[in-house]
Amino acid sequence: MATVEAWFLGGPVDGRLMPVEVAADRSPPTVVKLPQVGVYVGAGDVTARAVHHVYVLGDRLDDVEVYQYRQPASEATD
């Protein structure tokens, strides 16, 4: 699995550097979705549905791909 180093800006992983898998031609994906899951602790102890945090490829800075967080439409109107 070939990867590149990517810097994530905004959202829940703001400021983190992480590897991102690249395509066969070594190009990084234009969109990265990071799933987040959890469990509600309470009377039901029900697993929460997954939330996908979306990051879009922006610039490149010193051989590091830069991804910018895209806020979901439901959060943007709150």
Side-chain angles (χ1 to χ4, degrees):
M1 167 175 71
T3 62
V4 294
E5 190 172 38
W7 184 23
F8 290 84
L9 298 176
V13 295
D14 184 39
R16 293 194 186 171
L17 287 169
M18 295 188 289
V20 172
E21 189 173 352
V22 295
D25 66 355
R26 310 238 357 123
S27 64
T30 55
V31 174
V32 173
K33 292 183 180 180
L34 301 176
Q36 178 181 3
V37 296
V39 175
Y40 291 113
V41 178
D45 291 332
V46 178
T47 302
R49 66 179 178 85
V51 175
H52 293 275
H53 300 288
V54 177
Y55 288 81
V56 177
L57 182 61
D59 296 326
R60 184 178 191 141
L61 180 64
D62 295 332
D63 294 330
V64 176
E65 304 298 336
V66 179
Y67 285 87
Q68 182 66 46
Y69 179 68
R70 291 292 179 243
Q71 186 177 34
S74 61
E75 290 180 17
T77 58
D78 288 345

